[in-house]
Amino acid sequence: MLTEFRNLVVGEVVEAVRYVVPRGESWPEGHKEDRVHEVDMAIELYMKSGAVLMLSWAMDGMSEGMAIEIKGPKDDPDSLPGDSVDVTIHVDWIRYLGLSIANIGVSWHIPNEGCPAMPWAYDFDFSDGSSLVVALGEFNNAMPKYLPDALLVFFDVVAATEYKIPANVASPCD
């Protein structure tokens, strides 16, 4: 299934980016935005083809992971209970506009005993050799920490490489 998903996404060109936040809020709403963004609900990558790639945190009982899906131009929009905030022209996102996705890597973890392996991070490589990582987590005491009910976008490779979670000793870039 991951191979099929990669085949759908690789080659897509990023045109716009939106963060989904709780209704009535904006972004960054107190979240860090210096080369690592904290996003409350979801990230939507709008592609030149009209497709939308959406990443969100997902929990099912003790299973905690990241959901990723791609919607075609004619699909119904998602019904997340939040507001979409356009971050396309944010300085950290501008460099990725017009670039195609060259590859997507996935990092897995077993969140709790008895749970299946779940994705906790996606590593996006782009056609110009740049990359970014989207992972479960949020800022706690000015440091990125694993918490499964928010997302972190790492634009800084060093910060992404240093980020580790309790259920997986590897970084999302490994």
Side-chain angles (χ1 to χ4, degrees):
M1 180 152 159
L2 187 58
T3 302
E4 292 172 18
F5 184 79
R6 266 194 195 108
N7 291 339
L8 289 173
V9 174
V10 168
E12 286 281 357
V13 175
V14 178
E15 280 199 330
V17 183
R18 294 186 179 148
Y19 292 162
V20 180
V21 300
R23 289 208 193 283
E25 288 191 16
S26 61
W27 186 89
E29 201 71 35
H31 299 315
K32 188 168 177 60
E33 61 170 307
D34 183 23
R35 305 291 296 148
V36 180
H37 298 184
E38 181 182 325
V39 182
D40 290 314
M41 299 175 79
I43 299 161
E44 300 169 326
L45 299 175
Y46 290 78
M47 306 300 175
K48 187 175 185 175
S49 68
V52 178
L53 178 66
M54 188 162 99
L55 298 115
S56 60
W57 58 271
M59 294 181 72
D60 182 15
M62 298 297 285
S63 288
E64 34 192 67
M66 278 184 60
I68 187 169
E69 62 182 308
I70 191 161
K71 294 186 175 254
K74 295 180 181 176
D75 290 340
D76 289 332
D78 196 68
S79 60
L80 281 176
D83 292 332
S84 187
V85 177
D86 192 339
V87 294
T88 304
I89 61 169
H90 190 282
V91 66
D92 290 329
W93 276 109
I94 284 184
R95 73 171 291 165
Y96 300 97
L97 301 181
L99 297 178
S100 61
I101 297 172
N103 192 30
I104 298 177
V106 61
S107 295
W108 299 87
H109 74 141
I110 297 177
N112 290 292
E113 189 175 325
C115 292
M118 301 286 288
W120 69 274
Y122 290 94
D123 182 6
F124 290 83
D125 296 324
F126 290 88
S127 56
D128 71 344
S130 63
S131 64
L132 65 83
V133 170
V134 178
L136 291 174
E138 65 182 42
F139 280 95
N140 186 343
N141 296 325
M143 295 295 298
K145 300 283 185 191
Y146 176 78
L147 273 163
D149 62 356
L151 302 172
L152 293 170
V153 184
F154 291 89
F155 300 96
D156 181 286
V157 175
V158 173
T161 302
E162 292 173 351
Y163 184 60
K164 298 193 175 50
I165 67 169
N168 189 328
V169 295
S171 85
C173 300
D174 292 343

